[in-house]
Amino acid sequence: MEMDQMATLLRTIISEELKPIRDDISELKSDMNGLKSDVDGLKQDVSTMNERLKRVEETVSRVEASQSEEVTGMLKLLDRKLDVIRKDVEFTFMKASKNELEINRLKM
């Protein structure tokens, strides 16, 4: 056998031996491209969720602020009403005490 034939035969053998490895590498590249695509999709989903979460947090903050104002307003209204009730009770107490005093004086 001549050198050229041996070289050709050796190349053929090496090529046949490397074919499964090349096929595996090709398959791995294809899988990696799929994974890259999936990761890009996940990144987009996370970005979208972060935007939504930010909007929810802003809404919660607005609701908390408005509820705080509402509660403060209700407490002030209750305070005013309690002042009126306290004055009415004091007036009623004073009137009842005065009536009791007059009754006691009349009994003497």
Side-chain angles (χ1 to χ4, degrees):
M1 237 185 199
E2 288 185 28
M3 266 314 215
D4 287 338
Q5 288 176 336
M6 283 180 74
T8 303
L9 183 60
L10 188 55
R11 280 190 202 109
T12 303
I13 291 172
I14 291 173
S15 179
E16 287 177 14
E17 292 294 321
L18 291 177
K19 185 174 182 341
I21 294 173
R22 285 188 189 129
D23 291 344
D24 288 347
I25 289 173
S26 244
E27 189 177 332
L28 285 172
K29 284 182 180 179
S30 175
D31 290 347
M32 285 299 293
N33 287 334
L35 286 173
K36 283 180 184 178
S37 176
D38 290 347
V39 168
D40 288 342
L42 287 172
K43 284 180 181 178
Q44 182 62 37
D45 290 346
V46 167
S47 176
T48 301
M49 284 193 294
N50 282 339
E51 290 173 10
R52 288 179 178 172
L53 180 60
K54 184 178 179 182
R55 287 194 304 260
V56 167
E57 288 172 341
E58 290 170 352
T59 301
V60 167
S61 293
R62 283 194 307 272
V63 167
E64 286 175 342
S66 68
Q67 284 182 344
S68 176
E69 291 171 4
E70 287 176 17
V71 168
T72 302
M74 283 192 272
L75 288 173
K76 287 179 180 178
L77 177 64
L78 285 172
D79 189 48
R80 286 191 299 266
K81 287 184 177 186
L82 286 173
D83 281 344
V84 169
I85 291 172
R86 184 175 44 243
K87 288 177 184 175
D88 288 349
V89 167
E90 287 174 3
F91 174 79
T92 304
F93 176 76
M94 294 297 280
K95 198 69 163 156
S97 295
K98 185 178 177 185
N99 288 339
E100 215 173 299
L101 181 63
E102 287 179 16
I103 290 172
N104 281 334
R105 284 186 184 162
L106 290 173
K107 285 184 180 179
M108 294 178 151

